Amino acid sequence: MTDSVRHACSFLFVPATQPERLPKALASGADLVIADWEDAVAPADKERARTALADALAALPAPQRARLLVRINSEATPWFAADLQALAQLTAQGLAGAVVPKAERAQTLQAVARAAGPQAALVPLVESVAGLAAADALAAAPQVARLAFGHLDFQVDAGMACAEDEQELLPVRMALVLASRRAGLAAPIDGVTVDTRNPERMGRDAERARRMGFGGKLCIHPAQVPVLHAAFDPDEAAVTHAQRVRQALEQAGGGVCVLDGRMVDAPVLAQAEQTLLRHARALQRLARV
C-alpha cells in the first residue's frame, strides 16, 4: 500500500457521503482518491459517511480499493475515536491508508498507525504553525509515506493574507520539501487549487509545486487531474534529452562528458534518471486507464 502512495502524483478528494462519485473519481485518471470524512462532511453526517464508505469499499475490486485513502477527522474533534475504529475495518479490506488532518504530534500518528494496521500508509496534513514546527517529527513517525500541505488552513492559523501567487508561503513549502528529504520520504504533496474553473491557475500552481520539489498535488475536481499531470509528467523533448544524457555518460564510462555543449556529470545524470522515472510512472498511469 505504501508504494502506491509514495509514487502517486494526483490525489482527488470525494465526499464520503456521496459514494456514487467514487467510481467516477477512480476512472478520472487520478492516481489516488481520498474519500473525505472531514471538511466535506457536516457534523450530523459523520456516521453516515463512515457507513457509506464501508459499503462502497465492499463493492469495489481489490485494485481500486488499493487506490483509496480516507481523510479522517482530527484528534481534536469528537469523531476521532470512532474514525479510528472504522479505519481499522477499512484497511483490513484493502484501503490504502489515511490522510491525517491538522497533524501536529507524532503521538497522534502513532495512534492512527496502530488502529490502521501495519499495511496502511499515513499522509499527515501540515495545516498549522505547530504542524510546521513538528514537520521533522511527523515525517519520521511510523508508516508515514508523504507529508501534505494544507495551505488554506495554514494561512488562517498564521494570520496570513496571501496574494494569488502565494509567494508568502514559499518558505513553508520549502520547509516541507526539506523535512521530507531529511526523513527519506517521497516528495510532499501540495495543497488544493480552489478555483475549479480556471485550468490556467491550476497549471501555474502545479508548475510551482513541481519546481519547488513537491511530488504531487491535491485536487478537488476531476478536471484538475489532467492539468496536474501535464505539469508533472515530462514531455517528449525532456524524455529524449534524459535518454541522451544517460547514453552519453554510458559511452564516457561514467566520467564527465559534454552533450550539446553542456557539461554532463553525476548530478545531471541523477536529474535525467528522475525524469525517466516520472515518464515511466506516467506510462503506467496510461496503461491503468
Side-chain angles (χ1 to χ4, degrees), residues 21-283:
R21 291 172 57 181
L22 283 176
K24 297 177 183 177
L26 288 164
S28 69
D31 295 322
L32 291 175
V33 173
I34 304 172
D36 195 12
W37 286 347
E38 195 212 15
D39 285 350
V41 178
D45 292 331
K46 298 294 186 181
E47 179 59 36
R48 182 167 69 88
R50 297 188 200 102
T51 302
L53 181 56
D55 292 344
L57 190 71
L60 292 174
Q64 292 191 349
R65 296 181 193 183
R67 291 175 52 216
L68 276 175
L69 296 164
V70 61
R71 179 165 67 171
I72 63 175
N73 290 281
S74 76
E75 182 184 29
T77 69
W79 309 293
F80 182 69
D83 281 0
L84 293 193
Q85 289 183 339
L87 177 63
Q89 298 174 354
L90 295 176
T91 55
Q93 297 174 46
L95 187 88
V99 176
V100 184
K102 314 296 189 298
E104 296 179 349
R105 304 186 319 125
Q107 294 92 326
T108 304
L109 299 179
Q110 291 168 359
V112 178
R114 285 194 299 269
Q119 77 279 15
L122 303 186
V123 179
L125 262 172
V126 176
E127 301 184 89
S128 65
V129 173
L132 178 63
D136 283 315
L138 299 176
Q143 297 172 221
V144 169
R146 310 275 289 272
L147 296 179
F149 187 28
H151 69 293
L152 300 177
D153 284 280
F154 186 92
Q155 289 178 62
V156 174
D157 185 63
M160 302 175 74
C162 294
E164 182 175 316
D165 61 10
E166 298 176 6
Q167 291 287 317
E168 300 86 351
L169 289 173
L170 292 179
V172 184
R173 287 189 160 98
M174 184 54 64
L176 295 181
V177 169
L178 297 180
S180 298
R181 183 70 185 115
R182 284 192 293 267
L185 297 182
I189 307 157
D190 205 0
V192 302
T193 296
V194 295
D195 191 343
T196 61
R197 294 181 294 183
N198 188 341
E200 292 79 14
R201 171 69 187 275
M202 178 67 181
R204 290 194 301 270
D205 289 352
E207 285 283 356
R208 178 191 60 213
R210 181 183 59 80
R211 291 196 308 269
M212 290 199 69
F214 281 78
K217 186 169 165 58
L218 303 172
C219 300
I220 56 174
H221 193 281
Q224 294 180 326
V225 173
V227 181
L228 169 59
H229 291 164
F232 272 85
D233 295 346
D235 59 20
E236 184 178 351
V239 172
T240 299
H241 178 72
Q243 291 169 337
R244 293 179 65 222
V245 166
R246 177 193 280 173
Q247 183 179 22
L249 273 180
E250 288 176 352
Q251 292 175 347
V256 175
C257 65
V258 176
L259 178 65
D260 298 334
R262 294 175 177 268
M263 183 184 73
V264 175
D265 57 2
V268 176
L269 176 62
Q271 191 170 47
E273 295 292 356
Q274 290 176 355
T275 297
L276 294 175
L277 180 59
R278 294 205 318 272
H279 178 60
R281 290 173 180 165
L283 293 178

